[in-house]
């Protein structure tokens, strides 16, 4: 297999450290993949002996603001510049009125700033300007197979996906723009050593052009430097990523890229109830930090 036992041990250690003081009903899933698609570590829950359900592969949850990455990627590909301006102010001219977290608004800001602070209203405005269909098409191109809700709230990540599916879609974004499909098995051999199946690595197509790729990576870096992932700013190596929190704090995510790996962390409850004071910008971020500082 592609799995790395040393990385898996470090992931287990980080989860135990961070979840000891928490409500026992809070669950955690982690998926780590290199930029070729090789899955290095997979944790589907806190305790396999208590629950065999794999929350990294079997569970589909709302991804919250992580979805904004697909929105901005599509907009940039359609000609938007990262320093173009967008209004970060309440949307009042429709029946549905999305709000920013804590009702904070900054007025006219750049796309770079809007992505970094994870502005809800800016993401909705951009999506409605460019159209939802191109965003859905781009998301599918990146390898997302789950159904995406074609509604104005799509930009806020109301669609549900698995953690491994989401991590796989970030392979192209964090890497060289080539399609990445996560896999865990390299070869199958019989006990006598005869190989009955071996994975053939093929050169995949570019699905993100180089200019677009450079800009989306700059936005993801800004999330760490000046945005919702500032807790990672002091690390002595390059990190980029996106935080996400779904409606009523039911799901908290961080998808981070560093050291040629994509690391996805999900925190939530199996009963889909709200969590208190857990957001993408705290617990998932800290678990990511513990893991990335320990692995090569």
């Amino acid at each position: 297999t592609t799995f790395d036992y040393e990385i898996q041990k470090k992931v287990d250690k980080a989860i135990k450290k961070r979840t000891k003081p928490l409500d026992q009903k809070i669950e955690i899933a982690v998926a780590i993949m290199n930029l070729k698609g090789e899955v290095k570590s997979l944790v589907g829950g806190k305790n396999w002996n208590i629950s065999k359900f794999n929350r990294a592969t079997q569970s589909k949850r709302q991804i919250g603001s992580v979805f904004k990455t697909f929105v901005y990627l599509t907009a940039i590909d359609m000609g938007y510049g990262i320093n173009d301006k967008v209004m970060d102010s309440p949307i009042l001219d429709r029946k549905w009125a999305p709000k920013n977290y804590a009702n904070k608004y900054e007025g006219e800001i750049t796309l770079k700033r809007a992505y970094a602070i994870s502005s809800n209203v800016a993401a909705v405005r951009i999506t409605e300007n460019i159209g939802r269909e191109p965003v859905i098409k781009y998301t599918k191109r990146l390898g997302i197979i789950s159904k995406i809700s074609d509604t104005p709230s799509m930009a806020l990540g109301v669609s549900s996906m698995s953690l491994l599916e989401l991590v796989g879609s970030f392979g192209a974004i964090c890497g060289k723009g080539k399609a990445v499909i996560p896999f865990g098995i390299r070869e199958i051999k019989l006990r006598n050593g005869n190989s009955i199946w071996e994975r053939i690595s093929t050169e995949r197509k570019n699905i993100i052009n180089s200019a677009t790729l450079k800009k989306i990576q700059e936005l993801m870096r800004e999330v760490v430097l000046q945005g919702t992932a500032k807790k990672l700013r002091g690390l002595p190596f390059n990190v980029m990523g996106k935080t996400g929190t779904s409606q009523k704090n039911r799901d908290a995510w961080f998808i981070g890229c560093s050291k040629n790996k994509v690391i996805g962390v999900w925190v939530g409850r199996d009963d889909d109830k709200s969590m208190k004071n857990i957001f993408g910008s705290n617990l998932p971020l800290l678990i990511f930090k513990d893991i990335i500082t320990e692995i090569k």
Side-chain angles (χ1 to χ4, degrees):
T1 73
T2 60
F3 286 83
D4 185 315
Y5 179 60
E6 291 305 314
I7 292 177
Q8 186 80 5
K9 280 198 297 186
K10 289 176 170 75
V11 172
D12 287 338
K13 183 182 167 188
I15 290 172
K16 277 179 188 149
K17 172 186 167 184
R18 294 292 175 184
T19 55
K20 244 180 182 174
L22 294 179
D23 174 349
Q24 287 308 298
K25 289 186 176 172
I26 288 173
E27 273 295 349
I28 292 181
V30 175
I32 302 179
M33 175 191 83
N34 70 12
L35 297 177
K36 295 176 187 171
E38 296 175 345
V39 177
K40 294 296 171 185
S41 173
L42 205 62
V43 173
K46 288 189 300 189
N47 193 319
W48 188 82
N49 292 318
I50 293 170
S51 169
K52 307 288 188 281
F53 183 65
N54 191 329
R55 293 156 192 84
T57 58
Q58 293 173 283
S59 178
K60 290 199 173 189
R61 305 286 293 230
Q62 287 190 345
I63 67 166
S65 295
V66 176
F67 191 88
K68 290 170 187 167
T69 308
F70 306 135
V71 170
Y72 283 77
L73 186 57
T74 310
I76 291 165
D77 205 54
M78 291 173 76
Y80 273 66
I82 60 174
N83 292 312
D84 285 354
K85 298 290 173 60
V86 60
M87 284 308 295
D88 179 42
S89 59
I91 295 173
L92 305 169
D93 57 345
R94 57 173 69 228
K95 291 173 189 172
W96 176 67
K99 293 181 174 69
N100 280 354
Y101 173 69
N103 269 326
K104 288 183 180 173
Y105 302 92
E106 295 189 3
E108 191 179 58
I109 54 175
T110 63
L111 263 68
K112 189 176 183 179
R113 177 68 183 160
Y115 182 81
I117 63 171
S118 205
S119 165
N120 287 339
V121 291
V124 171
R125 282 192 167 100
I126 293 165
T127 304
E128 294 305 296
N129 278 342
I130 63 175
R132 288 174 229 142
E133 190 57 37
V135 178
I136 292 170
K137 277 186 177 169
Y138 215 121
T139 306
K140 296 290 183 188
R141 199 197 303 181
L142 291 164
I144 296 296
I145 54 173
S146 295
K147 187 175 179 357
I148 296 165
S149 163
D150 187 358
T151 60
S153 59
M154 177 186 83
L156 308 184
V158 296
S159 301
S160 298
M161 301 171 193
S162 78
L163 175 61
L164 187 60
E165 180 183 9
L166 195 54
V167 164
S169 74
F170 271 75
I173 300 168
C174 298
K176 295 179 180 174
K178 290 185 187 292
V180 174
I181 298 168
F183 67 96
I185 297 172
R186 282 204 186 98
E187 189 177 8
I188 300 170
K189 288 182 178 181
L190 298 174
R191 284 183 179 176
N192 62 12
N194 289 347
S195 176
I196 58 167
W197 182 86
E198 192 172 357
R199 184 178 180 85
I200 298 166
S201 294
T202 53
E203 187 65 24
R204 299 203 178 273
K205 287 182 191 169
N206 259 34
I207 53 171
I208 307 172
N209 75 56
S210 56
T212 300
L213 185 66
K214 192 178 175 188
K215 287 171 188 168
I216 195 69
Q217 288 182 350
E218 189 176 334
L219 293 197
M220 288 171 67
R221 182 71 184 135
E222 190 70 7
V223 172
V224 175
L225 296 175
Q226 300 292 339
T228 55
K230 275 193 286 195
K231 286 186 174 81
L232 302 175
R233 192 160 51 181
L235 292 174
F237 41 82
N238 188 44
V239 179
M240 52 188 180
K242 183 72 187 80
T243 58
T245 309
S246 71
Q247 299 171 77
K248 296 181 180 173
N249 286 46
R250 291 190 184 106
D251 306 273
W253 303 79
F254 183 66
I255 308 293
C257 310
S258 188
K259 298 183 178 179
N260 291 317
K261 291 176 184 67
V262 182
I263 299 177
V265 182
W266 167 85
V267 179
R269 289 173 55 126
D270 288 343
D271 60 12
D272 207 25
K273 286 185 178 172
S274 299
M275 298 178 291
K276 195 176 179 183
N277 298 324
I278 293 179
F279 309 94
S281 57
N282 53 35
L283 185 57
L285 207 64
L286 294 171
I287 293 168
F288 170 87
K289 188 177 183 181
D290 290 344
I291 294 166
I292 200 66
T293 50
E294 287 287 320
I295 65 176
K296 290 176 185 174

